[in-house]
Amino acid sequence: MRESEVPAVPPGGLFRYSRWTVMLVAGALLGTGAALVAVGRLMGNPFAYYIAALLFMCLWIYQTMVLARFRATNWLVRVGNAEVYIKFRSYLNHHLPATDPTVVCILFRDMRQTRLVRELQDVQDTDGRGTLRRRRMLVEIDLKEAAPEIEAALHAERRAQAPKVERWYGSSAAKYRHYPVRMAAPGTVSIEWGVAPAARHFLAIMAVHAPVDASEIVRDYTALGITESDDGESRLIELAENGQTLDAIRLARSIYGYDLIQAKLFVEGLSARAKA
């Protein structure tokens, strides 16, 4: 369904990306940059001006995220009286056509279970000398039946093209590779929880309407083995579709022991199979 078709929900049923977080970061960048400019003027230090210019440039780039969080489109989940609405279009892609279907509605009676999942993943850092541990929180909703229509909608969103915008330097089309919702399995909707209130609060609301698994599942991709290839392939496809191809290749090398060329071909093959 379209976002404009989503009805109002009861108080406390709206989950969106925090506005205060981006304001604090933006304020820190602005304050630090201003302080460096003052230091540069007082001490005649050109290096302070250079660092301040970098910070102001970061702030200019960061403004897109700041402004997007103050739009009405900044939400991920809404909980109604008999259903939950999940917006699978990123709030950063608010400039894409509003006529596109971007929300799925799941009735409580169609849910088998809702649970919390914490994922751990080790990937090589950019210079290849060490590893970085990534953590993310997911909320997974198991449905009583497979939902190919949801999977088709998510696939269409990933393939959607951004409209061209005329600017003083020419035309451009920008689309952020941020996809907060995916199908972890044919009947499982997975939501990357980066919104507020916390995931536990969402589960507490859901527990009133549908079965909830109170325990937290930990999926440690830092120790994936060959016997867990299904989970590994699913994660690799997700990384590749999100534009994190290098991370997918690094993870493939870690899981399967491939060399660089083998890992690249393996990830490309998975991506082509997923798009077929």
Side-chain angles (χ1 to χ4, degrees), residues 94-116:
H94 57 81
H95 56 287
L96 269 62
T99 54
D100 293 345
T102 58
V103 179
V104 296
C105 174
I106 304 176
L107 300 176
F108 295 136
R109 66 170 181 265
D110 294 333
M111 300 178 185
R112 188 185 305 278
Q113 190 180 68
T114 302
R115 60 178 172 271
L116 195 62

Side-chain angles (χ1 to χ4, degrees), residues 44-161:
N45 187 346
F47 184 70
Y49 288 117
Y50 174 73
I51 299 299
L54 289 178
L55 291 178
F56 289 141
M57 185 177 299
C58 290
L59 183 60
W60 175 258
I61 298 173
Y62 194 65
Q63 70 168 329
T64 301
M65 182 179 294
V66 175
L67 296 177
R69 294 203 178 184
F70 284 87
R71 290 179 173 270
T73 51
N74 173 26
W75 64 276
L76 179 63
V77 174
R78 295 184 182 183
V79 182
N81 295 317
E83 69 287 304
V84 60
Y85 300 94
I86 305 170
K87 186 160 76 76
F88 52 85
R89 171 166 291 175
S90 171
Y91 75 101
L92 293 171
N93 288 323
H94 57 81
H95 56 287
L96 269 62
T99 54
D100 293 345
T102 58
V103 179
V104 296
C105 174
I106 304 176
L107 300 176
F108 295 136
R109 66 170 181 265
D110 294 333
M111 300 178 185
R112 188 185 305 278
Q113 190 180 68
T114 302
R115 60 178 172 271
L116 195 62
V117 178
R118 188 183 301 274
E119 281 190 356
L120 302 176
Q121 175 195 354
D122 279 351
V123 296
Q124 287 184 327
D125 54 22
T126 54
D127 59 11
R129 298 179 181 178
T131 59
L132 299 174
R133 176 152 296 184
R134 292 182 176 173
R135 297 175 172 85
R136 68 173 189 167
M137 187 70 70
L138 304 172
V139 169
E140 291 187 346
I141 302 176
D142 287 335
L143 307 177
K144 294 180 180 179
E145 298 180 358
E149 68 281 0
I150 296 179
E151 192 164 0
L154 297 180
H155 185 64
E157 176 64 17
R158 291 177 183 273
R159 295 174 63 88
Q161 299 296 318

Side-chain angles (χ1 to χ4, degrees), residues 202-223:
F202 172 70
L203 261 63
I205 295 177
M206 293 295 293
V208 178
H209 307 284
V212 168
D213 184 354
S215 61
E216 181 179 302
I217 299 174
V218 177
R219 292 183 185 146
D220 191 353
Y221 286 99
T222 65

